[in-house]
Each structure stands twice: as structure tokens, then as C-alpha cells.
Amino acid sequence: MASKSPKSIPLLLLLLSLSAAQISSTKGAGIAIYWGQNGNEGTLAQTCATGKFPYVNVAFLNVFGNGATPSLNLAGHCDPASGGCVSLSSQIRSCQKQGVKLMLAIGGGIGTYSLSSKLDAKNVSLYLWNAFLGGKSSSVFRPLGDAALDGIDFDIEQGSSQFYSDLVRYLKSYCKRGQKVYITGAPQCPFPDRLMGSALNTGLFDYVWVQFYNNPPCQYNGNITNLINSWNVWSKSLRIKKLFLGLPAATQAAGSGFIPAEVLTSQILPVIKKSPKYGGVMLWSKFWDDQSGYSSSIVSSL
């Protein structure tokens, strides 16, 4: 084997270090974004192509459970009920080829959803598996076409807390059928979350992006103390694997809790990044981020 010249060794070390940096960056913190609730926020494919969002929550399936016919609402993007969204399959595959994980967000602030029993939870899980994930059933229409999303995001903001832990367990059980099912969630910052606490206690959530907004006791209010204290409580939960700081992407995106980008990057991120559970930031939403440019202001500081 020919020996390397002295000049080639530093070059080799540089290439190795660059490769290591690229590998570590893929494992590093990132931004989760909600897409689907404004037709003026660009396509799903365009959202993924920005390269800024390793996690995209497609929002919302806001009618399900308790005997209701499940209903997907994608605002001005397309009409799922008439089959107008099946063309999203090609965009889903494009996103996944770029390494983006796509979750179907269920629940939301406006809708009709609840679970009436453990059997109801099982039936909803089967519907989600066959309609949006890796399952197939001749009797279940797939609103987004034949492409399979990566998981389910829980954004439970109304109704009862009952049986969501069962729904999570049923969904995770489908991992045995050849596709990993990611489970993520967006609880409110008061701990424990009133509606999602029992589900989070399963310990089966892969990522948790807590909403640190519209909740004055645990959000930024010109002072970071309440927010940091709340973050510390969440980060100490033994049931949470990866924790994200959920924020509005613009002042208009929420009733309260917006954090100026410079405050986030200089005062808050340096503190919360010390947590081994820190995973990044979640933003509501793609539309508001387009208006403010918030993600571009913070992405290099994550």
C-alpha cells in the first residue's frame, strides 16, 4: 500500500471531520412545523424543499371517534372528501426522500373528536393505520393517496382525556407490521397536560413539542423565568424522550407567547439546549413562518 504524502494527511483529516460534522448535524436539533391550515403557505413539497424542517405535521384530522365519520381538513390546499388530495402522495414521497418525517396531526382547536371506549380507540387506530399509514384495506379510502405517512401527531385540545393512551398503544403495536409508527404530540405547557397527560405517561411518544404559548403561567411574557421553569419541569419527565419548545412563528399566530427571535437565540436556547432531551423548536405554522421569516432567523442557533 502506498504511503500518504504529508500534504494528503491534513486533507484526509479535513474530509473526515466534514463527514463527521454532516453525520452529527443529521442527529442534531431541528424545527418541527405545522402545515395544512392555510392554502397560501405553499405546497407540502415546497415546505420540505426549504431544508429547514425535518418534521412536518399535516394538520388536521379534526373529526374522529365516538361513531363519527373521520374527516380531514386541509383548509385551502385541497378537498380530501372528494378525492382532491390523493395527488399529495408524490409530494409525501418527495419529502421522505429528503429525510423529512411526516405526521398526520389529529385533533386541533376546532373540530369534533373524542374516544368513547377502548374499542373505539382500537377502531380509530385501525382507521389511521389503513387510511394514512402502512396498512391497506379495500373498505378504507386513503385521502392522501397510497403513500404512507410516518406517524401520528396528537394535538388534543378539547373533550376528554380518556382512552388516548389506548390509541397510542394500538398505533405503536403496528410497528410489528414492518413500518415504524412515530408518535408525537403537542401538549399545553401547564404540567401535566390536562388532556394528554395519561397518553404521554405511556412513554411511547418519540417527540413532544410542548405549546409554550396561549398559556400565560408558563410562557414568555417579557421575562424568560416562567418559561424556563416550565421547560425544566417537562424535561425532568421520565416519560419524555425528546422535547421541543413549541412557539408561534409570528405575533399574529397566537393570542400570546410570541418570543422575538433575538430573545430566543440569545437568552432561551443557550439554557434549554443544556437538557439532554432537547430536540429543537416547533413552530405554528408554515403560513405564519412565511410571513415572518422566523425559522430562518433561528435555524442556525438550534
Side-chain angles (χ1 to χ4, degrees):
M1 184 184 291
S3 62
K4 297 180 176 67
S5 69
K7 288 184 179 179
S8 68
I9 293 175
L11 178 60
L12 178 62
L13 291 173
L14 176 61
L15 290 173
L16 286 172
S17 65
L18 284 173
S19 176
Q22 289 170 336
I23 291 171
S24 66
S25 68
T26 62
K27 296 180 180 179
I31 300 175
I33 196 92
Y34 279 83
W35 174 92
Q37 285 301 291
N38 193 300
N40 297 316
E41 63 192 343
T43 66
L44 182 59
Q46 289 169 340
T47 300
C48 298
T50 64
K52 293 186 293 186
F53 311 119
Y55 315 97
V56 177
N57 298 315
V58 178
F60 286 103
L61 184 82
N62 66 343
V63 178
F64 63 85
N66 202 22
T69 300
S71 178
L72 177 67
N73 181 325
L74 292 181
H77 287 285
C78 53
D79 178 22
S82 66
C85 302
V86 295
S87 60
L88 282 177
S89 269
S90 61
Q91 297 186 45
I92 290 169
R93 292 191 182 95
S94 171
C95 290
Q96 291 169 333
K97 284 178 182 176
Q98 297 169 67
V100 177
K101 290 183 176 61
L102 300 175
M103 275 64 70
L104 174 71
I106 67 172
I110 300 174
T112 304
Y113 54 87
S114 64
L115 298 173
S116 59
S117 65
K118 190 171 182 177
L119 177 60
D120 193 22
K122 183 176 184 178
N123 289 337
V124 170
S125 76
L126 282 168
Y127 170 76
L128 294 172
W129 172 250
N130 288 319
F132 297 99
L133 301 173
K136 286 183 180 177
S137 170
S138 59
S139 62
V140 177
F141 171 65
R142 294 183 67 91
L144 304 181
D146 59 353
L149 297 175
D150 297 290
I152 302 296
D153 177 65
F154 285 69
D155 182 20
I156 307 305
E157 299 190 23
Q158 62 183 44
S160 163
S161 65
Q162 287 190 301
F163 307 111
Y164 285 107
S165 56
D166 296 302
L167 178 55
V168 169
R169 290 189 185 96
Y170 282 126
L171 287 168
K172 273 297 186 183
S173 74
Y174 301 136
C175 291
K176 300 170 186 175
R177 303 189 184 185
Q179 180 203 347
K180 170 159 182 163
V181 177
Y182 286 87
I183 300 294
T184 66
Q188 309 291 314
C189 56
F191 184 91
D193 182 87
R194 180 176 66 88
L195 295 175
M196 291 183 57
S198 61
L200 291 167
N201 279 339
T202 62
L204 296 175
F205 282 70
D206 296 279
Y207 309 113
V208 177
W209 17 79
V210 179
Q211 297 184 51
F212 288 94
Y213 56 93
N214 292 335
N215 286 287
C218 47
Q219 70 184 30
Y220 175 76
N221 56 5
N223 184 298
I224 69 171
T225 303
N226 287 352
L227 184 146
I228 296 296
N229 288 343
S230 181
W231 170 274
N232 288 338
V233 170
W234 280 95
S235 67
K236 289 173 184 173
S237 169
L238 299 177
R239 298 295 186 173
I240 291 178
K241 300 167 187 172
K242 278 294 177 186
L243 185 63
F244 290 66
L245 186 75
L247 300 173
T251 54
Q252 310 98 306
S256 60
F258 176 76
I259 303 176
E262 62 273 15
V263 174
L264 179 67
T265 56
S266 67
Q267 298 181 42
I268 296 171
L269 288 181
V271 177
I272 68 173
K273 284 166 71 173
K274 295 175 183 177
S275 167
K277 295 185 179 180
Y278 169 76
V281 170
M282 174 273 277
L283 295 178
W284 175 269
S285 62
K286 174 61 167 51
F287 172 77
W288 291 113
D289 187 59
D290 286 348
Q291 311 307 305
S292 67
Y294 197 82
S295 62
S296 296
S297 301
I298 67 169
V299 67
S300 63
S301 300
L302 297 178

